């Protein structure tokens, strides 16, 4: 069930006229929550402005048990609005694994086994730290072309009005248009502890929080869907913003 929360803001953030954006946090294989949030967004569309866009902040795979389903939905554009799919660090690792089986040594410790299992790959050997090349070949054989194309085409950032969207965050004191991919995908404490500003309000995920974390310079909407069963969307329109939640709230 989706719910709303009105956010008070002293930060002058505005979107272009006649545009509504839904930013959706880390999904991590929870296709059930993605479906619930999609249905709630669809219910709002009759009263929406002329243009509506959804921005996914990355981490579609790993940890949850329905990674292949999530990727399939998005790769088929099966969503009620046009959308941009940003890349998360977990998609980055998955794509590296397609070229290098040794990646699984670390990937299996933070969700990779769940993703392999969702594609029908036998993970019994990988669970014991063996059979990495066999698992890589099995995933290549089972990964549909449109899934691989979708993953390869994910972008690192999006920017509209006074908002900048990325997966993990941005390096302090570096202009947003000069950020490195490594920071956009992986940065954590240096970004989270920074109290200064950037040119725009940063909307991000990557670091799970119990509830959306609204700061003067950033908004974190990763509410740990795989563990909490709560998937969060931030709805932006004009100078207003509100939260929608799918799952237990």
């Amino acid at each position: 069930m989706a719910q709303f929360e009105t956010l008070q803001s002293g930060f002058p953030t505005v979107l272009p006229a006649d545009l509504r954006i839904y930013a959706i946090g880390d999904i991590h294989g929870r296709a059930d929550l993605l479906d619930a949030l999609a249905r709630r967004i669809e219910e709002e569309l009759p009263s929406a402005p002329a243009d509506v866009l959804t921005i996914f902040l990355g981490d579609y795979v790993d940890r949850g048990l329905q990674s292949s389903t999530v990727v399939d939905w998005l790769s088929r554009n099966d969503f009620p609005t046009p959308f941009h799919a940003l890349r998360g660090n977990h998609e980055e690792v998955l794509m590296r694994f397609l070229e290098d089986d040794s990646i699984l040594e670390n990937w299996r410790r933070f969700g990779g086994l769940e993703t392999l299992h969702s594609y029908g790959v036998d993970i019994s050997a990988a669970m014991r730290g063996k059979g990495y090349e066999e698992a890589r070949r099995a995933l290549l054989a089972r990964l549909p072309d449109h899934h691989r194309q979708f993953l390869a085409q994910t972008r690192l950032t999006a920017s509209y009005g006074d908002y900048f969207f990325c997966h993990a965050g941005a390096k302090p004191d570096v202009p947003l248009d000069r950020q490195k991919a490594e920071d956009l995908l992986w940065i954590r404490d240096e970004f989270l502890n920074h109290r200064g500003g950037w040119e725009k309000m940063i909307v991000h995920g990557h670091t799970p929080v119990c509830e959306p974390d609204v700061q003067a310079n950033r908004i974190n909407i990763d509410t740990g869907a795989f563990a909490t069963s709560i998937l969060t969307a931030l709805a932006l329109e004009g100078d207003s913003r509100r939260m929608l939640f799918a799952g237990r709230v």
Side-chain angles (χ1 to χ4, degrees), residues 77-98:
N77 289 313
D78 191 3
F79 200 77
T81 75
F83 65 83
H84 295 324
L86 303 190
R87 182 174 304 178
N89 61 304
H90 286 258
E91 286 76 55
E92 180 74 9
V93 172
L94 187 162
M95 290 189 292
R96 290 179 183 176
F97 174 64
L98 296 176

Side-chain angles (χ1 to χ4, degrees), residues 10 26 28-29 55 63 131 135 137 149 180 190 210 234 237:
D26 304 35
H28 277 307
I55 299 176
R63 304 193 190 281
R137 291 178 180 176
Q149 291 170 5
K180 295 180 179 179
E190 185 180 5
C210 295
L234 169 64
E237 187 173 342

Side-chain angles (χ1 to χ4, degrees), residues 18-107:
D18 297 321
L19 172 64
R20 179 186 294 172
I21 288 179
Y22 294 98
I24 296 181
D26 304 35
I27 300 167
H28 277 307
R30 290 300 303 267
D32 55 332
L33 298 177
L34 176 59
D35 179 62
L37 203 50
R39 285 187 280 108
R40 189 64 187 89
I41 289 172
E42 189 171 27
E43 291 173 358
E44 292 194 3
L45 294 182
S47 62
D51 294 319
V52 180
L53 175 68
T54 298
I55 299 176
F56 292 99
L57 298 181
D59 280 5
Y60 315 109
V61 302
D62 295 351
R63 304 193 190 281
L65 300 179
Q66 302 165 312
S67 293
S68 61
T69 301
V70 172
V71 174
D72 194 60
W73 283 2
L74 297 181
S75 66
R76 295 179 185 277
N77 289 313
D78 191 3
F79 200 77
T81 75
F83 65 83
H84 295 324
L86 303 190
R87 182 174 304 178
N89 61 304
H90 286 258
E91 286 76 55
E92 180 74 9
V93 172
L94 187 162
M95 290 189 292
R96 290 179 183 176
F97 174 64
L98 296 176
E99 306 296 331
D100 180 2
D101 68 283
S102 70
I103 294 297
L104 190 53
E105 177 61 28
N106 286 322
W107 187 33

